[in-house]
Amino acid sequence: MPKSRGKTSRNPKKFKGPLPPSANVRVVFDRLITLVQTGRGGENVELAEKVVALGRSNPEAHHLHGICLMQSGDMAAGVAAFKRAIALSPANPGLLNHCGVALCQTGQGEEGLAMLEKAVQLAPDLVEARNNYARALSEAGAFAKACVEYRKVVDAMPQMTPGWLGLMSGLNSLGRLDEALEVAVEAISKLPGQSALHGNLGRLLIDAHRMEEAESALRQAMALNPANGEAANNLGTVLEEADRQSQAIAFYRLATQHRPDLADGWHNLGNALEKTGNLEEASDAHFQALERHPQSSVSLAALIAVRRKLCQWDGLDDLVARLSRVIDSPDFTIAQAEGPSPFSLLSLPVTARQQRIAAEAHSARMESRAIRWQDQVGAYVPPLAAKGWRKLRIGYLSPDFREHPIAQLMAGVIDDHDRSRFEISCWSIGPVVESRFRDRIIAGSDRFESISDLPIAQSVKMMREAELDIVVDLAGYTAHARPEILALRVAPIQVNYLGYPGTMGASFMDAIIADPVVLPEDHEQFYSERVYRLPNCYQANDNRALIDDGPVSRAEFGLPDDAFVFCCFSMNYKIDAAVLDAWTEILRQAPGSVLWLYRTDKPASVNIHREFGERGIAPDRVIFADRQAKDRHLARHKLADLFLDTFAYGAHTTASDALWAGLPVLSMLGDTFARRVGASIVKAAGMDELIAADSADYVAKAVAIAGQSGRAGELKQRLSDMLPVCPLFATADFSRDLEAVYLTMMSQSSQDGP
C-alpha cells in the first residue's frame, strides 16, 4: 500500500542530470524500484520522470512515478500518474490496488473502493488487494461486508496481522463484541508473538468492561513490544479507570514518546494530568493533541476547558469561536466520530441551540456504542402491569453517591420519600468512597447496589430485573456517567435530573425535571426530553445539612475586620473575563471592599490575581480560601456580606450552600439552564430582589448593597427569617412535589401507550 512520506534528513544518492544514451532502461527501472522500496522515491521524482520519458507506453513507468509522487507528498499528482498507468493496463490488479488505496487516502473513497473491488475480482488470490478492499469497505461504514473480506484475508494468509486487526474492529463496530473477542483469541493462537494482537484484545476487553483481563492483555502487548504506543495508551486508560492516576500518566507519557503522532495519547495524558491537578502541563498536552489532529472538536473542547480551569484567557475567545463554527457546520453530527463532551459546553459562551446539537451528536455516539451489548441483553421489555396496586419503583442512577454535591443534595430527599407509595433504589456507578453522605443514602434506600465494577451488559440485566417504573439519571454526561446503560433502556421512563443542567439530546431519555425559571416554555425547543416542572426550584436541598458551630473569625481566613466582603466560592472554571470585569467595577465603586474567592487550583489563583492587577485592582483586595470540610466550609460563610454569582455557568449547590449558611446571594438571569439556576435558587429562598437582569444591573445592585450602611445586615436578617419557611429548604415538601411529578409521568406514559 503506497504511503506518502515527508523528506528525511538523510541524503541518499540521487540521480541528477540526463541519463547517458547507453543507459540500460531495465537497470534504471530496477534502481528506481529499489529507491521506492526503501521509502526514498519522494526524493527521486526527477528520476521517475526520466523513467517515464524513456517508456511513456510502459504502465510500470507511470506506476513508479505515481509511487514517487505519493512518497513526496504530492498525492493528487500521484493519483493522476496511477490513472495513466491504468489507462495503459486496465486489467492490472496491482495498479488498481495501489490507485484504489491512493484514492481512499485522498478522500475519493467511492472511486477508490470501486477500483479495489475490481482488483479483487481480477485477482482473488491477491491478499494485499483484498485486505485494502476490506479496509476501504470499513472506512465506508460497510462493516458487515468488510468482515466477510477480512475473514477471507486471514483464512488465506493467517500471518497477515492487519487482516486480523481489521476483522476484530469490524465485528466490534457491528456490535458483535463477543465474536470480536473470539477472533482475537484465534489470532493470538496463530500469532502469539504479535504485540498488536494482544493490544487489540486489550482494547476489546476494555469495551467489554473486563478491566483486569484487559490490563493483563495490554501488559503482554507491552512485554512483546515496549514501543507499542497504542497498547501503552490503552493500558493508561485501564489504570486511569482504576484511579491509579500516576501509573496511568506514566503509560500515557510512554505512548506519546513512542507515538508522538498519537493525538489520543496526548488527549488522555491531558485528562489524567487534569485529574491530578497538574493543569499547566495538561494544557500543554491538550495543545499537542490539537496540533496533531486540528479537526478534532474533542481536543479543541478539552483545551478550552483546561484553560478555563487555569483562568488563562488569552486567545480563548478565538478557540471558542472555532468550536462554535464546528458545531454549526451542517455535517457536525455525521462527521464527528468523536465529539466534544456536552458538559464542557455548558460553561462556554455558546447558545442553548448549540448545546442541544452537541448533546444529540454525543447521544448518537452513545447509542452506536451501546449496540455492541445489544445481543447480550436483548430488547427491553417493560414490566407487566400489576394486577393490583403496588408501590411505584423509582431507581436513582448516579456515580456520585459519595462526598459530592449530588449526594449532599439528594440525601434528604431520599430520606423523605413516602415509603407507603414509593419503593426507592439507588444504583451506584462511580468510585466507592466511604462518606457520611454515602452511608446516609444507603440507609435511606430500600435497595442500594454498587454496580460500578460490573460490565455494561450485566448492569443492564440487573437493573431490568428490578422492574423499575422510573429511572432517574443523576449524572447525564458528567464524570463516571454510563449513558450506555440508559441507551439499552432499563425502565419504561428514563429521566434526566439534577446532575446535568441541560438537555441530553437522547432518544433514550424521556423526560427532564426543571422549574419555570431554569426552563421557561419558550426554551423547550432546545430540549429533546419532555419537560416536567416542579412548582418551585428544581434543585433538591437538604434541610438537615450540618454547619460547624465552632468559632470562626475573619482573621483566621485573612479577611480585614472592617471591610465589606464580597465572596464567590464557585469553582474557578466558572470565572471568565466577563464576570471578572463586573467584579472589577464593583470593587472600584465600593472602596474598602474585598473579594473572597475559592482557590480551586494555585495556577488559577495566580492568573486571577494577574488579571485583576491588569485592571488596576491591588492583590490584597482579592483573597483566596482553600478547601475545608463541608460543615466548616458552611460555617465560614457568615464572615462574608454578599455572595456574587458567576455568569457563564452559575452557582448551583454553591448558591444554596451560601443561603443555607445565611449569606445572601446576588445572581443574574442568564440564557441557558446552567446560567439560570442561581436565579431559581434565589427566588425559591424568597430573595427575588437579588436577581439581576443583566451585568449592569448586577454591578449596580452589588455596589448599592455595599454602599448603604446596614443593608447587608438587613438582607441577612430577612434571609434568616425566610430559611424556615421558604420552599428552597422545605425538603419534605420538595419530596412530595417530586413524587407528584413521577405520578404525572406514569399517568401520561399510560395515556401515550407503548
Side-chain angles (χ1 to χ4, degrees):
M1 185 183 301
K3 295 182 180 179
S4 64
R5 294 173 182 254
K7 293 187 177 180
T8 68
S9 60
R10 296 175 298 169
N11 187 26
K13 183 179 179 182
K14 300 180 183 180
F15 280 78
K16 295 182 179 180
L19 290 169
S22 59
N24 184 301
V25 174
R26 187 67 256 171
V27 170
V28 177
F29 265 53
D30 290 343
R31 175 59 175 157
L32 185 57
I33 289 170
T34 300
L35 290 166
V36 164
Q37 289 174 341
T38 56
R40 293 182 288 174
E43 301 170 3
N44 287 277
V45 172
E46 182 182 343
L47 174 62
E49 291 169 350
K50 292 169 182 174
V51 167
V52 170
L54 287 170
R56 291 192 180 281
S57 62
N58 187 332
E60 182 62 16
H62 294 282
H63 183 200
L64 289 170
H65 186 208
I67 296 175
C68 289
L69 288 165
M70 296 288 288
Q71 290 185 352
S72 76
D74 193 345
M75 310 293 280
V79 169
F82 287 147
K83 287 185 175 181
R84 287 193 293 272
I86 291 170
L88 294 167
S89 182
N92 186 319
L95 294 178
L96 291 165
N97 176 38
H98 278 180
C99 190
V101 170
L103 286 164
C104 291
Q105 289 177 340
T106 55
Q108 303 169 75
E110 189 173 344
E111 186 180 358
L113 185 59
M115 278 204 183
L116 289 166
E117 184 176 18
K118 186 175 180 181
V120 169
Q121 290 169 349
L122 289 167
D125 296 331
L126 185 57
V127 178
E128 180 191 346
R130 190 176 295 280
N131 189 69
N132 290 335
Y133 176 49
R135 180 177 176 181
L137 285 167
S138 184
E139 289 174 350
F143 299 114
K145 287 184 178 180
C147 288
V148 171
E149 297 302 325
Y150 276 129
R151 174 47 75 178
K152 292 177 182 177
V153 168
V154 297
D155 286 347
M157 191 180 289
Q159 69 271 28
M160 193 165 192
T161 300
W164 291 109
L165 296 174
L167 180 55
M168 293 179 223
S169 177
L171 289 168
N172 196 24
S173 296
L174 288 168
R176 293 153 61 181
L177 179 57
D178 287 344
E179 289 180 64
L181 286 164
E182 290 172 4
V183 167
V185 172
E186 179 188 356
I188 289 171
S189 71
K190 297 180 185 297
L191 299 169
Q194 282 291 324
S195 172
L197 295 176
H198 291 275
N200 219 50
L201 172 61
R203 177 66 257 179
L204 293 170
L205 288 165
I206 290 173
D207 289 342
H209 207 70
R210 291 159 58 180
M211 293 306 196
E212 290 185 8
E213 295 171 79
E215 181 177 351
S216 177
L218 291 164
R219 288 193 182 278
Q220 179 62 23
M222 294 297 295
L224 290 167
N225 178 12
N228 187 333
E230 290 277 4
N233 183 42
N234 288 327
L235 183 52
T237 299
V238 172
L239 295 167
E240 186 177 359
E241 183 74 16
D243 205 27
R244 293 151 66 185
Q245 300 297 340
S246 61
Q247 294 178 56
I249 288 170
F251 277 100
Y252 289 144
R253 291 192 194 282
L254 195 62
T256 57
Q257 174 188 335
H258 292 301
R259 284 284 309 278
D261 62 320
L262 188 63
D264 190 50
W266 289 106
H267 176 76
N268 289 338
L269 175 60
N271 286 342
L273 288 166
E274 276 191 70
K275 290 179 181 178
T276 58
N278 193 341
L279 296 184
E280 292 172 310
E281 194 175 353
S283 179
D284 291 340
H286 285 309
F287 178 79
Q288 294 293 339
L290 188 60
E291 284 282 287
R292 283 151 179 77
H293 190 182
Q295 292 77 37
S296 171
S297 57
V298 177
S299 296
L300 178 56
L303 179 60
I304 292 169
V306 73
R307 288 195 174 174
R308 284 188 65 92
K309 287 183 179 181
L310 283 164
C311 295
Q312 192 177 79
W313 304 324
D314 291 345
L316 197 59
D317 288 346
D318 291 338
L319 292 175
V320 174
R322 179 173 161 188
L323 182 60
S324 292
R325 289 193 297 272
V326 171
I327 297 170
D328 286 336
S329 63
D331 60 348
F332 172 72
T333 303
I334 300 169
Q336 296 293 316
E338 293 290 339
S341 161
F343 181 74
S344 69
L345 299 183
L346 298 184
S347 61
L348 301 183
V350 299
T351 65
R353 178 188 63 80
Q354 290 172 317
Q355 290 177 0
R356 175 171 180 171
I357 291 170
E360 287 176 341
H362 189 74
S363 74
R365 289 189 292 273
M366 292 300 101
E367 290 186 85
S368 177
R369 177 177 164 80
I371 291 172
R372 66 188 63 177
W373 296 288
Q374 191 65 64
D375 289 345
Q376 297 178 58
V377 302
Y380 173 71
V381 178
L384 294 173
K387 293 182 179 179
W389 179 89
R390 68 165 174 80
K391 295 179 182 180
L392 199 64
R393 296 180 183 134
I394 308 296
Y396 290 106
L397 179 69
S398 176
D400 300 320
F401 294 134
R402 50 196 167 99
E403 186 84 25
H404 189 278
I406 293 298
Q408 295 163 12
L409 296 175
M410 287 298 297
V413 173
I414 291 170
D415 282 343
D416 287 344
H417 268 309
D418 183 350
R419 291 308 202 278
S420 69
R421 296 190 300 158
F422 296 88
E423 182 180 306
I424 304 300
S425 60
C426 290
W427 304 79
S428 176
I429 53 174
V432 178
V433 182
E434 297 304 321
S435 76
R436 71 173 188 265
F437 299 103
R438 184 180 181 86
D439 291 344
R440 189 172 161 194
I441 287 172
I442 291 172
S445 306
D446 295 304
R447 177 182 182 182
F448 185 95
E449 298 286 353
S450 181
I451 58 174
S452 56
D453 292 334
L454 298 183
I456 293 287
Q458 191 174 340
S459 298
V460 169
K461 289 177 182 178
M462 192 172 178
M463 292 189 73
R464 286 182 179 179
E465 288 167 359
E467 296 190 337
L468 301 167
D469 297 301
I470 297 174
V471 163
V472 182
D473 178 32
L474 299 173
Y477 297 134
T478 58
H480 303 293
R482 296 173 78 180
E484 300 92 339
I485 291 174
L486 299 162
L488 292 162
R489 192 161 287 275
V490 291
I493 301 173
Q494 300 188 153
V495 182
N496 172 16
Y497 174 59
L498 193 60
Y500 185 77
T503 183
M504 288 181 67
S507 61
F508 52 82
M509 297 306 294
D510 307 297
I512 183 170
I513 296 176
D515 66 50
V517 177
V518 295
L519 207 168
E521 289 186 9
D522 62 343
H523 286 203
E524 289 187 15
Q525 61 185 303
F526 306 125
Y527 295 79
S528 62
E529 304 92 339
R530 176 180 281 185
V531 178
Y532 292 86
R533 293 181 179 85
L534 293 167
N536 300 296
C537 181
Y538 90 107
Q539 181 181 289
N541 285 287
D542 180 18
N543 60 7
R544 294 183 285 283
L546 300 176
I547 300 177
D548 190 305
D549 57 4
V552 290
S553 68
R554 286 191 169 187
E556 178 185 352
F557 295 99
L559 300 170
D561 285 333
D562 57 349
F564 187 98
V565 177
F566 296 105
C567 92
C568 178
F569 289 148
S570 291
M571 302 287 279
N572 294 160
Y573 78 87
K574 296 184 179 184
I575 300 172
D576 58 13
V579 78
L580 196 122
D581 285 341
W583 291 347
T584 298
E585 193 57 34
I586 291 168
L587 292 173
R588 282 176 182 160
Q589 295 187 41
S593 64
V594 297
L595 178 60
W596 192 20
L597 300 176
Y598 178 69
R599 190 197 319 272
T600 307
D601 300 282
K602 185 175 180 180
S605 65
V606 170
N607 287 331
I608 289 170
H609 262 141
R610 177 179 52 77
E611 291 285 346
F612 270 118
E614 291 175 357
R615 290 163 173 78
I617 301 299
D620 61 353
R621 296 190 66 191
V622 180
I623 300 160
F624 283 91
D626 293 310
R627 181 179 176 83
Q628 288 204 329
K630 183 63 181 281
D631 52 356
R632 185 68 177 171
H633 170 65
L634 290 174
R636 65 181 169 184
H637 281 76
K638 70 180 67 174
L639 303 175
D641 297 297
L642 182 66
F643 185 102
L644 299 176
D645 199 359
T646 47
F647 296 167
Y649 190 124
H652 297 188
T653 309
T654 315
S656 57
D657 280 350
L659 292 166
W660 178 243
L663 178 62
V665 173
L666 174 64
S667 189
M668 185 178 81
L669 191 64
D671 57 356
T672 64
F673 194 127
R675 296 168 198 152
R676 300 173 71 91
V677 172
S680 175
I681 289 170
V682 170
K683 180 178 175 62
M687 307 290 285
D688 300 53
E689 73 270 32
L690 293 181
I691 301 173
D694 53 35
S695 60
D697 188 32
Y698 175 93
V699 170
K701 286 181 183 293
V703 171
I705 293 168
Q708 184 179 343
S709 178
R711 177 62 176 147
E714 292 172 5
L715 289 171
K716 282 190 173 185
Q717 183 57 54
R718 194 154 71 78
L719 175 59
S720 177
D721 295 340
M722 291 297 300
L723 287 178
V725 297
C726 70
L728 184 63
F729 296 108
T731 307
D733 291 344
F734 179 91
S735 296
R736 301 292 84 74
D737 290 338
L738 190 59
E739 290 163 358
V741 166
Y742 293 154
L743 292 169
T744 300
M745 289 178 183
M746 291 297 295
S747 174
Q748 290 185 345
S749 177
S750 176
Q751 294 170 16
D752 293 342

